[in-house]
Amino acid sequence: RKEVEQDPGPFNVPEGATVAFNCTYSNSASQSFFWYRQDCRKEPKLLMSVYSSGNEDGRFTAQLNRASQYISLLIRDSKLSDSATYLCVVLNFNKFYFGSGTKLNVKP
Amino acid sequence: EPEVTQTPSHQVTQMGQEVILRCVPISNHLYFYWYRQILGQKVEFLVSFYNNEISEKSEIFDDQFSVERPDGSNFTLKIRSTKLEDSAMYFCASRSSRDRRSYEQYFGPGTRLTVT
């Protein structure tokens, strides 16, 4: 079973839409969780950490459900510049495991 | 804003040759990582490094690979006897250990390695 699983998408949405991604992880002892975004042929860039209480940063909201072992990312009022691949990342004992990413295309 | 830098941006080498990929982590960070991403695939952990030694490594990181922090700023990945399947983007990352967000990693722009 993969450590981290994501729906590869693509999610094709119009500007202004709200879109949500989910990610599941297999190791219940996982310690920390993150969302990164990656543009084509570029490095992953940290979007936000995900805390048990949930956290929000502008148009982005991340949630963690430890009981069900999933993490979510909600993007409100999506912009053209949000088009990217969103990577779910899980920390297990100083090893970071990346999901394969969910591709988002925001269309005008 | 401080950032991780990597050189070269693109390295072309012949099969069987040795390459050294270089990284300069963010200056006050203490944990360093190498990852690789084969084109079209996910980012894969290779190795983590702390306090001048390897703290974790993946199954990919076999005897062909080694890491070193030769001075106070550089962090290198050496790949010996390169194979065609080593062609990938190699990312360096670093993180602090001192603050609440200490598990957040910051990535360099990557080195694209092409083995011919």
PDB file of all heavy atoms in Angstrom, chain B residues 33-52:
ATOM      1  N   TYR B  33      18.341  17.484   3.006  1.00  0.00           N
ATOM      2  CA  TYR B  33      17.717  16.343   2.321  1.00  0.00           C
ATOM      3  C   TYR B  33      18.077  16.366   0.845  1.00  0.00           C
ATOM      4  O   TYR B  33      18.268  17.429   0.250  1.00  0.00           O
ATOM      5  CB  TYR B  33      16.190  16.433   2.426  1.00  0.00           C
ATOM      6  CG  TYR B  33      15.671  16.460   3.834  1.00  0.00           C
ATOM      7  CD1 TYR B  33      15.601  17.646   4.552  1.00  0.00           C
ATOM      8  CD2 TYR B  33      15.256  15.289   4.464  1.00  0.00           C
ATOM      9  CE1 TYR B  33      15.137  17.673   5.854  1.00  0.00           C
ATOM     10  CE2 TYR B  33      14.785  15.304   5.770  1.00  0.00           C
ATOM     11  CZ  TYR B  33      14.727  16.501   6.455  1.00  0.00           C
ATOM     12  OH  TYR B  33      14.261  16.514   7.744  1.00  0.00           O
ATOM     13  N   TRP B  34      18.106  15.186   0.277  1.00  0.00           N
ATOM     14  CA  TRP B  34      18.125  15.032  -1.175  1.00  0.00           C
ATOM     15  C   TRP B  34      16.918  14.203  -1.587  1.00  0.00           C
ATOM     16  O   TRP B  34      16.581  13.195  -0.929  1.00  0.00           O
ATOM     17  CB  TRP B  34      19.395  14.348  -1.669  1.00  0.00           C
ATOM     18  CG  TRP B  34      20.589  15.245  -1.708  1.00  0.00           C
ATOM     19  CD1 TRP B  34      21.619  15.293  -0.825  1.00  0.00           C
ATOM     20  CD2 TRP B  34      20.879  16.241  -2.701  1.00  0.00           C
ATOM     21  NE1 TRP B  34      22.518  16.258  -1.184  1.00  0.00           N
ATOM     22  CE2 TRP B  34      22.107  16.848  -2.341  1.00  0.00           C
ATOM     23  CE3 TRP B  34      20.237  16.676  -3.868  1.00  0.00           C
ATOM     24  CZ2 TRP B  34      22.690  17.862  -3.096  1.00  0.00           C
ATOM     25  CZ3 TRP B  34      20.821  17.676  -4.615  1.00  0.00           C
ATOM     26  CH2 TRP B  34      22.028  18.259  -4.235  1.00  0.00           C
ATOM     27  N   TYR B  35      16.298  14.657  -2.682  1.00  0.00           N
ATOM     28  CA  TYR B  35      15.183  13.954  -3.293  1.00  0.00           C
ATOM     29  C   TYR B  35      15.465  13.827  -4.785  1.00  0.00           C
ATOM     30  O   TYR B  35      16.247  14.600  -5.343  1.00  0.00           O
ATOM     31  CB  TYR B  35      13.881  14.765  -3.146  1.00  0.00           C
ATOM     32  CG  TYR B  35      13.397  14.925  -1.739  1.00  0.00           C
ATOM     33  CD1 TYR B  35      13.854  15.968  -0.937  1.00  0.00           C
ATOM     34  CD2 TYR B  35      12.468  14.041  -1.206  1.00  0.00           C
ATOM     35  CE1 TYR B  35      13.406  16.117   0.366  1.00  0.00           C
ATOM     36  CE2 TYR B  35      12.009  14.184   0.098  1.00  0.00           C
ATOM     37  CZ  TYR B  35      12.486  15.220   0.870  1.00  0.00           C
ATOM     38  OH  TYR B  35      12.035  15.368   2.154  1.00  0.00           O
ATOM     39  N   ARG B  36      14.789  12.881  -5.396  1.00  0.00           N
ATOM     40  CA  ARG B  36      14.827  12.868  -6.853  1.00  0.00           C
ATOM     41  C   ARG B  36      13.397  12.764  -7.388  1.00  0.00           C
ATOM     42  O   ARG B  36      12.482  12.273  -6.708  1.00  0.00           O
ATOM     43  CB  ARG B  36      15.670  11.713  -7.388  1.00  0.00           C
ATOM     44  CG  ARG B  36      14.970  10.386  -7.379  1.00  0.00           C
ATOM     45  CD  ARG B  36      15.757   9.329  -8.086  1.00  0.00           C
ATOM     46  NE  ARG B  36      14.968   8.085  -8.124  1.00  0.00           N
ATOM     47  CZ  ARG B  36      15.450   6.918  -8.476  1.00  0.00           C
ATOM     48  NH1 ARG B  36      16.731   6.802  -8.833  1.00  0.00           N
ATOM     49  NH2 ARG B  36      14.675   5.866  -8.489  1.00  0.00           N
ATOM     50  N   GLN B  37      13.246  13.259  -8.611  1.00  0.00           N
ATOM     51  CA  GLN B  37      11.943  13.164  -9.286  1.00  0.00           C
ATOM     52  C   GLN B  37      12.205  12.798 -10.738  1.00  0.00           C
ATOM     53  O   GLN B  37      12.701  13.633 -11.509  1.00  0.00           O
ATOM     54  CB  GLN B  37      11.168  14.478  -9.179  1.00  0.00           C
ATOM     55  CG  GLN B  37       9.746  14.375  -9.716  1.00  0.00           C
ATOM     56  CD  GLN B  37       8.940  15.639  -9.477  1.00  0.00           C
ATOM     57  OE1 GLN B  37       9.474  16.746  -9.458  1.00  0.00           O
ATOM     58  NE2 GLN B  37       7.627  15.491  -9.298  1.00  0.00           N
ATOM     59  N   ILE B  38      11.902  11.567 -11.069  1.00  0.00           N
ATOM     60  CA  ILE B  38      11.970  11.144 -12.461  1.00  0.00           C
ATOM     61  C   ILE B  38      10.820  11.815 -13.197  1.00  0.00           C
ATOM     62  O   ILE B  38       9.725  11.985 -12.629  1.00  0.00           O
ATOM     63  CB  ILE B  38      11.891   9.608 -12.558  1.00  0.00           C
ATOM     64  CG1 ILE B  38      13.129   8.992 -11.883  1.00  0.00           C
ATOM     65  CG2 ILE B  38      11.770   9.136 -13.985  1.00  0.00           C
ATOM     66  CD1 ILE B  38      13.056   7.501 -11.659  1.00  0.00           C
ATOM     67  N   LEU B  39      11.056  12.202 -14.442  1.00  0.00           N
ATOM     68  CA  LEU B  39      10.063  12.967 -15.212  1.00  0.00           C
ATOM     69  C   LEU B  39       8.713  12.279 -15.201  1.00  0.00           C
ATOM     70  O   LEU B  39       8.602  11.098 -15.540  1.00  0.00           O
ATOM     71  CB  LEU B  39      10.576  13.150 -16.641  1.00  0.00           C
ATOM     72  CG  LEU B  39       9.755  14.067 -17.537  1.00  0.00           C
ATOM     73  CD1 LEU B  39       9.785  15.492 -17.000  1.00  0.00           C
ATOM     74  CD2 LEU B  39      10.274  14.028 -18.965  1.00  0.00           C
ATOM     75  N   GLY B  40       7.700  13.029 -14.771  1.00  0.00           N
ATOM     76  CA  GLY B  40       6.344  12.498 -14.770  1.00  0.00           C
ATOM     77  C   GLY B  40       5.994  11.664 -13.563  1.00  0.00           C
ATOM     78  O   GLY B  40       4.876  11.161 -13.455  1.00  0.00           O
ATOM     79  N   GLN B  41       6.949  11.517 -12.638  1.00  0.00           N
ATOM     80  CA  GLN B  41       6.699  10.694 -11.455  1.00  0.00           C
ATOM     81  C   GLN B  41       6.746  11.548 -10.190  1.00  0.00           C
ATOM     82  O   GLN B  41       6.973  12.751 -10.243  1.00  0.00           O
ATOM     83  CB  GLN B  41       7.712   9.552 -11.395  1.00  0.00           C
ATOM     84  CG  GLN B  41       7.594   8.606 -12.581  1.00  0.00           C
ATOM     85  CD  GLN B  41       8.479   7.384 -12.446  1.00  0.00           C
ATOM     86  OE1 GLN B  41       8.844   6.979 -11.352  1.00  0.00           O
ATOM     87  NE2 GLN B  41       8.819   6.783 -13.582  1.00  0.00           N
ATOM     88  N   LYS B  42       6.528  10.891  -9.062  1.00  0.00           N
ATOM     89  CA  LYS B  42       6.462  11.658  -7.824  1.00  0.00           C
ATOM     90  C   LYS B  42       7.859  11.932  -7.264  1.00  0.00           C
ATOM     91  O   LYS B  42       8.850  11.320  -7.662  1.00  0.00           O
ATOM     92  CB  LYS B  42       5.631  10.906  -6.782  1.00  0.00           C
ATOM     93  CG  LYS B  42       6.246   9.615  -6.299  1.00  0.00           C
ATOM     94  CD  LYS B  42       5.359   8.969  -5.263  1.00  0.00           C
ATOM     95  CE  LYS B  42       5.999   7.699  -4.741  1.00  0.00           C
ATOM     96  NZ  LYS B  42       5.139   7.043  -3.749  1.00  0.00           N
ATOM     97  N   VAL B  43       7.903  12.859  -6.348  1.00  0.00           N
ATOM     98  CA  VAL B  43       9.135  13.184  -5.638  1.00  0.00           C
ATOM     99  C   VAL B  43       9.453  12.033  -4.675  1.00  0.00           C
ATOM    100  O   VAL B  43       8.593  11.596  -3.912  1.00  0.00           O
ATOM    101  CB  VAL B  43       8.974  14.498  -4.849  1.00  0.00           C
ATOM    102  CG1 VAL B  43      10.210  14.791  -4.022  1.00  0.00           C
ATOM    103  CG2 VAL B  43       8.672  15.656  -5.805  1.00  0.00           C
ATOM    104  N   GLU B  44      10.709  11.558  -4.728  1.00  0.00           N
ATOM    105  CA  GLU B  44      11.104  10.419  -3.884  1.00  0.00           C
ATOM    106  C   GLU B  44      12.222  10.831  -2.936  1.00  0.00           C
ATOM    107  O   GLU B  44      13.235  11.404  -3.358  1.00  0.00           O
ATOM    108  CB  GLU B  44      11.621   9.271  -4.754  1.00  0.00           C
ATOM    109  CG  GLU B  44      10.603   8.706  -5.719  1.00  0.00           C
ATOM    110  CD  GLU B  44      11.241   7.680  -6.630  1.00  0.00           C
ATOM    111  OE1 GLU B  44      12.041   8.070  -7.509  1.00  0.00           O
ATOM    112  OE2 GLU B  44      10.934   6.479  -6.460  1.00  0.00           O
ATOM    113  N   PHE B  45      12.058  10.498  -1.684  1.00  0.00           N
ATOM    114  CA  PHE B  45      13.080  10.762  -0.674  1.00  0.00           C
ATOM    115  C   PHE B  45      14.308   9.900  -0.942  1.00  0.00           C
ATOM    116  O   PHE B  45      14.198   8.709  -1.210  1.00  0.00           O
ATOM    117  CB  PHE B  45      12.481  10.440   0.703  1.00  0.00           C
ATOM    118  CG  PHE B  45      13.473  10.386   1.825  1.00  0.00           C
ATOM    119  CD1 PHE B  45      13.914  11.549   2.437  1.00  0.00           C
ATOM    120  CD2 PHE B  45      13.962   9.174   2.287  1.00  0.00           C
ATOM    121  CE1 PHE B  45      14.812  11.503   3.479  1.00  0.00           C
ATOM    122  CE2 PHE B  45      14.866   9.117   3.327  1.00  0.00           C
ATOM    123  CZ  PHE B  45      15.294  10.284   3.930  1.00  0.00           C
ATOM    124  N   LEU B  46      15.488  10.507  -0.849  1.00  0.00           N
ATOM    125  CA  LEU B  46      16.733   9.744  -0.954  1.00  0.00           C
ATOM    126  C   LEU B  46      17.408   9.625   0.411  1.00  0.00           C
ATOM    127  O   LEU B  46      17.695   8.532   0.885  1.00  0.00           O
ATOM    128  CB  LEU B  46      17.705  10.422  -1.929  1.00  0.00           C
ATOM    129  CG  LEU B  46      17.320  10.420  -3.403  1.00  0.00           C
ATOM    130  CD1 LEU B  46      18.359  11.182  -4.225  1.00  0.00           C
ATOM    131  CD2 LEU B  46      17.177   9.015  -3.927  1.00  0.00           C
ATOM    132  N   VAL B  47      17.679  10.791   1.033  1.00  0.00           N
ATOM    133  CA  VAL B  47      18.496  10.767   2.238  1.00  0.00           C
ATOM    134  C   VAL B  47      18.265  12.031   3.057  1.00  0.00           C
ATOM    135  O   VAL B  47      17.945  13.084   2.499  1.00  0.00           O
ATOM    136  CB  VAL B  47      19.997  10.643   1.841  1.00  0.00           C
ATOM    137  CG1 VAL B  47      20.458  11.878   1.087  1.00  0.00           C
ATOM    138  CG2 VAL B  47      20.896  10.349   3.018  1.00  0.00           C
ATOM    139  N   SER B  48      18.399  11.889   4.374  1.00  0.00           N
ATOM    140  CA  SER B  48      18.409  13.057   5.248  1.00  0.00           C
ATOM    141  C   SER B  48      19.722  13.077   6.012  1.00  0.00           C
ATOM    142  O   SER B  48      20.334  12.037   6.266  1.00  0.00           O
ATOM    143  CB  SER B  48      17.214  13.047   6.203  1.00  0.00           C
ATOM    144  OG  SER B  48      17.262  11.896   7.027  1.00  0.00           O
ATOM    145  N   PHE B  49      20.138  14.276   6.395  1.00  0.00           N
ATOM    146  CA  PHE B  49      21.474  14.485   6.950  1.00  0.00           C
ATOM    147  C   PHE B  49      21.360  15.484   8.083  1.00  0.00           C
ATOM    148  O   PHE B  49      20.754  16.546   7.923  1.00  0.00           O
ATOM    149  CB  PHE B  49      22.361  15.037   5.825  1.00  0.00           C
ATOM    150  CG  PHE B  49      23.834  15.049   6.097  1.00  0.00           C
ATOM    151  CD1 PHE B  49      24.612  13.935   5.844  1.00  0.00           C
ATOM    152  CD2 PHE B  49      24.449  16.195   6.558  1.00  0.00           C
ATOM    153  CE1 PHE B  49      25.976  13.949   6.052  1.00  0.00           C
ATOM    154  CE2 PHE B  49      25.815  16.223   6.776  1.00  0.00           C
ATOM    155  CZ  PHE B  49      26.585  15.100   6.515  1.00  0.00           C
ATOM    156  N   TYR B  50      21.942  15.131   9.215  1.00  0.00           N
ATOM    157  CA  TYR B  50      21.880  16.011  10.375  1.00  0.00           C
ATOM    158  C   TYR B  50      23.119  15.804  11.208  1.00  0.00           C
ATOM    159  O   TYR B  50      23.570  14.658  11.399  1.00  0.00           O
ATOM    160  CB  TYR B  50      20.621  15.694  11.204  1.00  0.00           C
ATOM    161  CG  TYR B  50      20.573  16.406  12.525  1.00  0.00           C
ATOM    162  CD1 TYR B  50      20.330  17.778  12.579  1.00  0.00           C
ATOM    163  CD2 TYR B  50      20.771  15.730  13.725  1.00  0.00           C
ATOM    164  CE1 TYR B  50      20.286  18.444  13.790  1.00  0.00           C
ATOM    165  CE2 TYR B  50      20.731  16.387  14.942  1.00  0.00           C
ATOM    166  CZ  TYR B  50      20.494  17.744  14.970  1.00  0.00           C
ATOM    167  OH  TYR B  50      20.448  18.404  16.164  1.00  0.00           O
ATOM    168  N   ASN B  51      23.680  16.887  11.689  1.00  0.00           N
ATOM    169  CA  ASN B  51      24.832  16.797  12.588  1.00  0.00           C
ATOM    170  C   ASN B  51      25.978  16.005  11.939  1.00  0.00           C
ATOM    171  O   ASN B  51      26.607  15.151  12.574  1.00  0.00           O
ATOM    172  CB  ASN B  51      24.391  16.147  13.902  1.00  0.00           C
ATOM    173  CG  ASN B  51      25.337  16.454  15.042  1.00  0.00           C
ATOM    174  OD1 ASN B  51      26.033  17.469  15.024  1.00  0.00           O
ATOM    175  ND2 ASN B  51      25.393  15.566  16.016  1.00  0.00           N
ATOM    176  N   ASN B  52      26.183  16.291  10.668  1.00  0.00           N
ATOM    177  CA  ASN B  52      27.289  15.700   9.906  1.00  0.00           C
ATOM    178  C   ASN B  52      27.206  14.202   9.689  1.00  0.00           C
ATOM    179  O   ASN B  52      28.225  13.541   9.473  1.00  0.00           O
ATOM    180  CB  ASN B  52      28.644  16.046  10.541  1.00  0.00           C
ATOM    181  CG  ASN B  52      29.042  17.472  10.243  1.00  0.00           C
ATOM    182  OD1 ASN B  52      28.834  17.959   9.130  1.00  0.00           O
ATOM    183  ND2 ASN B  52      29.558  18.145  11.241  1.00  0.00           N
TER     184      ASN B  52
END
